[in-house]
Amino acid sequence: MRRNVNTIDKLHYITHPLPDYPIAQQVEDVCRGGCSWVQLRMKEARTEERLAEALRILPRIRHYGATLIINDDVYAAKAADADGVHLGADDMHPSEARHLLGAGKIIGCTANTLDDVLRLSQYDIDYIGVGPFRFTSTKEKLSPVLGGEGIHRIVAAARIHGVRIPIIAIGGITPENIGGLLNTGIHGVAVSGAIHAAMDKATACEAIIAQLNTHHPSPITHHPSLTTNHQKNERHTKNS
């Protein structure tokens, strides 16, 4: 059961473990600033640790009427009764995650190429995070950086292929980048450092939300689509 595009927020805040800035405080600050979508990311944690943190922040999430997504860990998401899960390339298969979580939960996946987007769009998922836009120090094992041009080409080609799943740009995004990224046809952005590095986190969050809500994207030009591996194989077969 794929959700309506309007139920996927335009701003996704991704938590980051920081010694002097607890995740619970991060959640409080961004929710106070109007963010209603929080992704709990604890890359090196065990399921028990993620679950404990999820249960710690869930009352604040619910207080603000926000959405809680757990990064990587379907079991923690299910045990905490979070709103959903975000899956990386090396995480559980989205079909298995859907079976475990049920139809009512949100499932997002990460993509780095057009092939990734086309493959993932076949499954019962709700959004796709495409990136990284640029280098980011908040994520380890970074995939090849796409830049605005790369994201534009993937989004345009995906639309030509009939993909209508909301696409969220991820990776090293700052407020200065958002206007240009919205012109690529993305639905929204995922940020971390752009908010937690700001002096006033709530105000920074408010400013990004205002930018997302008031920006009027330029018409999308149909860039030449990225050649998928499937298309390459077809051409090879015809020419051999």
Side-chain angles (χ1 to χ4, degrees), residues 1-12 37 86 106-111 117 120-121 123-130 151 154-155 158-159 162-170 185-189:
M1 182 187 70
R2 191 163 289 163
R3 287 163 178 75
N4 183 287
V5 63
N6 294 322
T7 65
I8 305 299
D9 282 24
K10 292 182 179 180
L11 175 61
H12 296 200
W37 189 291
H86 184 93
I106 297 165
I107 296 178
C109 295
T110 297
V117 171
L120 291 167
S121 68
Y123 305 118
D124 184 12
I125 64 173
D126 301 287
Y127 72 92
I128 298 175
V130 172
I151 290 177
I154 289 174
V155 174
R159 298 314 183 214
V163 176
R164 294 292 177 262
I165 299 174
I167 291 178
I168 305 295
I170 59 177
I186 59 165
H187 176 74
V189 297

Side-chain angles (χ1 to χ4, degrees), residues 16-72:
H16 187 64
L18 296 166
D20 57 347
Y21 191 30
I23 288 174
Q25 188 61 52
Q26 294 177 39
V27 170
E28 177 67 29
D29 288 344
V30 299
C31 287
R32 189 162 45 84
C35 180
S36 56
W37 189 291
V38 175
Q39 182 186 136
L40 176 63
R41 185 168 70 188
M42 301 169 64
K43 280 294 182 184
E44 303 304 319
R46 294 176 288 111
T47 291
E48 294 79 8
E49 294 170 315
R50 289 193 189 96
L51 175 58
E53 190 64 59
L55 293 175
R56 188 176 296 117
I57 65 176
L58 198 53
R60 300 312 296 163
I61 295 282
R62 297 292 180 243
H63 171 77
Y64 284 101
T67 294
L68 176 62
I69 302 295
I70 308 295
N71 184 272
D72 294 340

